[in-house]
Amino acid sequence: MTSRRPASPTTYSARSPFRQAVEAPVEIFAVGDRVTHDRFGLGTVIVLESAAVLVDFGAQRARVTSPFTRLTKI
């Protein structure tokens, strides 16, 4: 009978050719920041929440959740 070890997170040594994925830092926004969104275009941050921001894009308002991958501060 073969025993199996429990699955553990993969770790690599410093000299390993396999690199761990580096997470991009979550951008911090403030009320009044000008931003651009891939889909909605240019806008202004109007409300901050713990895990989201509400942005006014002129024709519409959109709530963008964290991580803000499509939202860039300009």
Side-chain angles (χ1 to χ4, degrees), residues 25-37 43-49 52-55 64-74:
V26 176
E27 200 161 354
I28 306 296
F29 296 99
V31 173
D33 282 349
R34 298 285 296 164
V35 294
T36 182
H37 189 275
T44 305
V45 175
I46 55 175
V47 175
L48 297 174
E49 298 176 5
V53 293
L54 183 64
V55 183
V64 182
T65 57
S66 178
F68 309 105
T69 55
R70 298 177 145 198
L71 197 63
T72 307
K73 191 183 304 187
I74 53 173

